[in-house]
Amino acid sequence: MAFKGMGGGNMQNLMKQAQKMQEQMQETEKLMEEWEIVGTAASEAVVVYMNAKKVIDGIEIDKSVVDPDDVEMLEDLILAAILDGYKKADEVYKEKMGAYGNLGGLGGML
């Protein structure tokens, strides 16, 4: 008695599908590196630029929020802009990478 689905052809097709999915996941990961996220605070007086992997590559601060006597406020605004960017990056990441679920661990198998 032969078991269907256990033949070499089916396993080969499964491996091809897994390889294709891994390639698509890698392309999506690259997209995450290129995707620009903009985090803001205080009506865009503080703007933080990052990618969807949360790598910050720029900050803009309007002079109106720079008060040498209140550095703590500026620190809070920068942190708020970063957290806003992180939240947006998480949303993009979930949307784009969610389709792959926990398949990231398959990379070592292929």
Side-chain angles (χ1 to χ4, degrees):
M1 177 157 119
F3 291 102
K4 295 200 178 227
M6 297 300 281
N10 286 335
M11 182 58 101
Q12 189 175 24
N13 285 340
L14 181 62
M15 290 302 291
K16 284 181 182 179
Q17 288 175 340
Q19 180 69 34
K20 183 178 179 181
M21 184 174 284
Q22 183 183 29
E23 289 169 4
Q24 291 172 337
M25 191 169 69
Q26 288 171 341
E27 289 173 16
T28 304
E29 284 279 348
K30 185 175 183 201
L31 176 67
M32 297 293 97
E33 292 172 6
E34 297 171 355
W35 198 290
E36 183 177 66
I37 303 291
V38 180
T40 64
S43 301
E44 298 185 6
V46 176
V47 180
V48 174
Y49 300 95
M50 66 181 69
N51 66 23
K53 289 187 155 191
K54 300 180 182 177
V55 176
I56 297 171
D57 61 5
I59 297 176
E60 293 179 6
I61 300 172
D62 188 280
K63 292 178 191 179
S64 67
V65 294
V66 178
D67 179 355
D69 295 325
D70 193 1
V71 175
E72 188 174 329
M73 180 195 67
L74 181 56
E75 293 169 345
D76 290 344
L77 291 175
I78 293 169
L79 183 58
I82 291 171
L83 293 175
D84 181 55
Y86 281 3
K87 179 181 174 189
K88 291 173 182 175
D90 285 342
E91 291 169 5
V92 169
Y93 194 87
K94 284 177 190 173
E95 177 185 330
K96 300 298 180 188
M97 295 299 289
Y100 302 107
N102 292 326
L103 297 178
L106 286 178
M109 294 175 51
L110 302 176

